[in-house]
Amino acid sequence: MAEVRNKGRIALLAVSILLVFAGIATRLVFLHLYPADWVLEPIKKGRTFQWKPIGQRGRIVDRNGEILAMDLAAYHVFVDPKYIAEHGDAEAVCRYLAEEFRLSPAELEAKLRNTTRQYVRIKKHVPGHQLKRFERKAFGVIYTPVAAGGEDETPIYLRGVGLEEAPIRNYPKGPLMAHVVGFANAEGVGSAGVEQRMNEYLRGKEGLRVSQRDGRRREIYSTRTIDIDPEDGANVELTLDQQIQYVTENAIEKMCRDFHAKAGWAIVQRVRTGEILAMASFPTYDLNRYGKAPAEWRRNRAIAFNYEPGSTMKAGVIAAALDHQIVTETDMVDCENGYWVYGGKALRDSHGEGEISVADVIKFSSNIGTAKIALQMGNQLLYDSLKKFHFGTRLGLGLPGEEAGIFYSPKHWSKISITRIGMGHEIGVTALQVVSMMSAIAFNGVQMKPMLIKRVTAPDGTVLLEYEPEKLGSPIRPATARRMQKLLARVTEKGGTGTKARVEGYSVAGKTGTAQKIKPAAEGGGYYAKNFISSFVGFLPVENPEICIIVVADDPGEYTESGRKIKYYGGTVCGPTFREIAEFAVRYLRISPEGSRVYVARPES
Amino acid sequence: MAATRKKKKKKNHVQVPFPILLANVLVLVAVMGLSYMGLSSRCDALGKEIKQKEATLATGQKRLVNEQDRWSYITSPANLQRAIKKHRLNMVMPRENQIVRVRYQMADSKDYVGL
């Protein structure tokens, strides 16, 4: 009987065990094959991660491919106070990070004490090369401190410290071309210059990766479900040349220092294509520290500063008068020995002349002579002629902040306006407009659209956008332009106002300008008696013009003991600067005195 | 006795047919399972390799960018000028009388070209 009872118990036990295992097996089968959402969700949530790799912002390069702006690898350093409190060493984190990044230990400690937070950024945009002592790990970083003797200490695992990728915009050339290149802000949005203008092309596109991690927080590649690569931004190639730009920037800085000018700016343009080879403005600033520069320093005066050009305007007025055959270059004009009253207002010349030819009116820069020629033209013709040179209109360079100048129609003119506009007053222009006018004279009457951006290329080399030289118009006939080239060449010859702009071995044509500055309405309006805008605009070689340069100085000059202002004339202040830039440019661009591109240099024997 | 032995012997010789089909199915399943595991582990290994290569590429790209930045910085005109001064090279542009111009007029053009 006992045997039978035992057999029953054994069978019962066996069945029970089988049932238990069958139950576990069934549960396992259901868990694996038909898992419930509440089981799956937390696991999925813990494993799945989404990452948005950042596309680099495109580069800005000069005409020779020299990098002017580029993205550089940088990181935000952050801590996870909650994780550090649970698994890490807050004291070590505080000590080492404060030491490495020169942070206040007290502040850092306070941040780490807030254990409700899981992300606290402690240092922004740290360049990659400054993080060589850090090695990224899944739950923290391995940091190798430096001992007092300069040797490396034993690496230490700082849990809860992370490095987050955050590329920074870097400008390796510093202040070079600052006003043209502009800058992108911390969010990577172009905020000035080409960076702003070409933001649509420059900015990169984020990618997207959705994948899962293993227990050590490493990605399991085979679980990557979405993998969209980031797209880098396009590269923008400028027409500027860094060497000419450097010389131009140095030259205007020297001019401002030598002649105590408040500011100076200059443009170098290729006559035949309208390409801008250099565009400089002083004071300037370092693009890597743009936030520290005053707003006034960040202004690109070459295109964003309206000023009364003074006598440089005479080139355009007399060109128009010759073009419409109002006068010929040999016609005589009475310059009234330097003092003439018209419309109840006196007009003076700095050097009184009697009766001189139209050619000499340009050479000696006679205000009275030009005013009389303008009067012969009449209001409408003068207005129309200058409009053909695109005064009062934006030239479409495309940089933000480009001014159109101020040029009212004749219905707003007073009786004497025509005499003042002829000599470059009562008209507001930008340096770009004046250099464009002079380039038109140099290029046989053809005005080219100023070009600053050459092309935009995708990272794979595909050209997305290409600018070609574009004709703006023909403000004067070729024959007139050629006559004007000869007349303007006399300005730099002996007796002219621009002799200091002469370049050894080359014939230079140009025009000086010295205009009194406008007094703001708050100060009573009118003009300052002793504050001037001085300029020189010219081109070379006259026989076959290749480059056109304008140099402008804001309020140059110095006072003598008697209170007289000296050294402020355009020829005196801007002439030598023009020469310095031109001397370099013709050699660098290998322009021969005849305008052809040649030569080999050898040492003097 | 002999008859009994004979009978027994006869009984022992009864052959159960080998389940070839079942064996084939089992072998196929086993091969497929092993292949799956093999391919799966190979995929994982490839995945790891790809990840490693991605990391190497990213590091390489960062290094390249850093080097380009450094190169661009040291070849900026201001730095070159500084280097020229430091090494007292005294480099200046040739004067007009130091320049020899070699010109050549193309047969089909009025323009001169440089040589």
Side-chain angles (χ1 to χ4, degrees), chain A residues 157-171:
Chain A
Y157 191 11
L158 299 175
R159 286 173 186 272
V161 179
L163 304 175
E164 180 191 2
E165 280 191 34
I168 44 169
R169 197 66 171 158
N170 188 50
Y171 302 93

Side-chain angles (χ1 to χ4, degrees), chain B residues 20-30:
Chain B
I20 298 170
L21 187 67
L22 179 67
N24 282 346
V25 168
L26 284 174
V27 168
L28 188 70
V29 167

Side-chain angles (χ1 to χ4, degrees), chain B residues 75-87:
Chain B
T75 56
S76 68
N79 277 323
L80 289 178
Q81 195 75 29
R82 233 171 274 145
I84 285 169
K85 272 187 187 163
K86 189 182 163 191
H87 296 289

Side-chain angles (χ1 to χ4, degrees), chain A residues 314 335-340 347-353 356 364-369:
Chain A
K314 288 171 189 165
C335 293
E336 314 278 351
N337 293 318
Y339 184 82
W340 183 52
L347 196 58
R348 291 181 180 83
D349 278 337
S350 56
H351 299 285
E353 302 288 343
I356 55 173
F364 302 129
S365 194
S366 169
N367 293 333
I368 296 167

